[in-house]
Amino acid sequence: MRAPVFRPIACLVYALGFCAVLSTARGSERDQLDHFENHVRPLLLAKCAECHGDDIQESGLRVDSREALLAGGQRGPAVVPGDAQGSLLLRAVRGEEEEMAMPPDGDPLTAEEQAHLARWIEGGAVWSGKQQASDDTPLAQMEAIRKNHWAYRPIELPEVPAHGDSSWPRGAIDHFVLDSLVASGLKPSPEADRRTLIRRATFDLLGLPPTEEEIEAFLSDPRENAYELLIEGLLARKEYGQRWGRHWLDVARYSDTRGHTNVPGTEIRYPFAWTYRDYVIEAFNDDLPFDQFVSEQL
C-alpha cells in the first residue's frame, strides 16, 4: 500500500530539487547579464566603441556584438569565452600586448574595470540583446543602397524591345513604353490633336494655359516639326524656369520668412533669400548642367 504513495512523493521531491537547480542556474545567468549590462557594456561603449563600432573598425575589430568580439579583427579573436588571460581584448587593455595598448588615447582602464572585464570573459562572455552587429546602421544602409539602387549602378544601354507592330513607336523610348503597355494588356491611345498637344505642353512646361493667339498659330503651322519647335519655344520662355525651378526650391525648403510664428513683430525674414530663388530660376532657363548646378550650391 505504501508504494503508490511513495512514488508521488519521490517525484515531488525530485521535481522540487530540479526546480531548485534550475532556479539557481537562472539566477546565475541573471547575475551574469546584470553584470554585463551594469559594468561591461558601458565600458565597451565608453572606452572602445569610438574606434571599434559601427562607423569605424580599426584593425577590423568591432566591439558592439558578441559575434564581432569572437570573430575579432586582423589579429584574431578578441575574446575567448571562459579564458580571460587568453583573450586579446583583456591583454590589450592591461598593456600586455606590444604596440596595442588600449585605449590608445585617454585614461587606461582602472584595475576595477579590468577586473569586471576579466570576470565577464571567465563567465562565458554572456551578452544580452542582439548577438550580432546590426545591419541597420546608416553606413550599412548606405552600402546596401550603393549596391542595389539604380542611380549608383554603372550606366548600361539596355536592349530596345522589339514588337511585331512597329508603326506606333517614333523613337527608342516609345518601344519601352509600348513594351510596358503590352505587358499590362493595354494599347496606345489615339494620337492627340494639335489643340490638345499645345494645351498639354504649355501647362506642363509653363504652368499656364496657352493664349488663343498661340493656339491659332500652332494650328495653322504647316511645318512637319511644328510640335518640336513649339517645345523649344516653351523651354526658352522665362516662365519655364519659374515653373520647374519651384520644384527644386520646395526640395531645398526655400522661404522668404521663418513662417512658424503668429506673434506680431516676431516674424523672422530673410531679406536676401530672393537671390537664391532667382539663381535657381536662371539655372533652369540657362539649361545649366546638373552636376554644375549641384556643385555650385555645395
Side-chain angles (χ1 to χ4, degrees):
M1 294 295 294
R2 293 182 181 180
V5 176
F6 174 77
R7 287 178 182 174
I9 294 177
C11 291
L12 178 60
V13 172
Y14 176 80
L16 291 175
F18 177 77
C19 290
V21 173
L22 183 61
S23 177
T24 301
R26 287 177 175 173
S28 176
E29 182 181 0
R30 182 68 263 170
D31 291 341
Q32 290 178 332
L33 291 174
D34 287 343
H35 177 258
F36 170 74
E37 289 293 347
N38 293 329
H39 300 288
V40 179
R41 191 194 293 274
L43 180 62
L44 295 175
L45 290 174
K47 298 296 181 68
C48 308
E50 182 178 355
C51 298
H52 303 284
D54 59 349
D55 292 331
I56 302 175
Q57 300 90 42
E58 291 190 3
S59 301
L61 174 63
R62 293 182 66 162
V63 299
D64 52 357
S65 75
R66 187 176 193 272
E67 181 189 58
L69 286 168
L70 298 185
Q74 296 174 358
R75 296 189 56 177
V79 168
V80 180
D83 184 5
Q85 186 54 40
S87 295
L88 184 60
L89 177 64
L90 185 63
R91 297 201 306 271
V93 299
R94 285 176 172 173
E96 298 174 359
E97 290 292 316
E98 295 184 4
E99 300 181 358
M100 204 179 72
M102 295 294 169
D105 300 319
D107 298 330
L109 270 63
T110 65
E112 182 181 6
E113 290 172 331
Q114 294 178 23
H116 283 309
L117 200 58
R119 173 187 164 185
W120 172 64
I121 297 174
E122 288 291 346
V126 297
W127 193 286
S128 61
K130 292 184 178 180
Q131 304 297 305
Q132 302 180 6
S134 173
D135 292 330
D136 297 330
T137 62
L139 285 181
Q141 294 175 8
M142 288 301 298
E143 181 64 15
I145 291 174
R146 187 189 68 80
K147 290 181 178 179
N148 301 314
H149 195 278
W150 64 268
Y152 296 94
R153 293 178 182 175
I155 297 177
E156 299 177 354
L157 290 177
E159 184 178 353
V160 178
H163 302 280
D165 180 13
S166 59
S167 61
W168 182 78
R170 296 183 181 178
I173 294 179
D174 289 346
H175 285 277
F176 289 96
V177 174
L178 182 60
D179 190 59
S180 297
L181 290 175
V182 173
S184 302
L186 303 173
K187 60 181 181 179
S189 299
E191 183 172 334
D193 57 45
R194 280 200 171 192
R195 184 180 294 274
T196 301
L197 286 176
I198 186 174
R199 185 174 178 82
R200 287 177 180 173
T202 308
F203 266 117
D204 283 345
L205 295 180
L206 307 185
L208 300 168
T211 65
E212 189 63 31
E213 293 75 16
E214 290 170 341
I215 295 175
E216 292 301 325
F218 180 60
L219 294 179
S220 59
D221 192 338
R223 294 173 293 184
E224 292 185 0
N225 63 340
Y227 183 69
E228 288 77 7
L229 294 174
L230 169 69
I231 298 299
E232 291 295 332
L234 293 174
L235 292 175
R237 297 265 296 270
K238 65 176 183 179
E239 291 88 349
Y240 166 72
Q242 296 169 353
R243 156 77 164 161
W244 283 92
R246 179 178 177 180
H247 294 297
W248 184 270
L249 292 171
D250 287 344
V251 172
R253 302 176 68 85
Y254 169 82
S255 177
D256 293 319
T257 66
R258 182 69 62 87
H260 69 280
T261 175
N262 294 322
V263 181
T266 62
E267 183 180 59
I268 300 177
R269 301 188 63 83
Y270 305 118
F272 297 104
W274 63 270
T275 58
Y276 174 69
R277 177 201 65 201
D278 287 3
Y279 159 78
V280 171
I281 293 173
E282 290 174 6
F284 275 81
N285 284 334
D286 293 342
D287 198 18
L288 190 68
F290 183 71
D291 56 348
Q292 182 180 347
F293 178 61
V294 173
S295 298
E296 289 179 355
Q297 293 179 81
L298 293 176

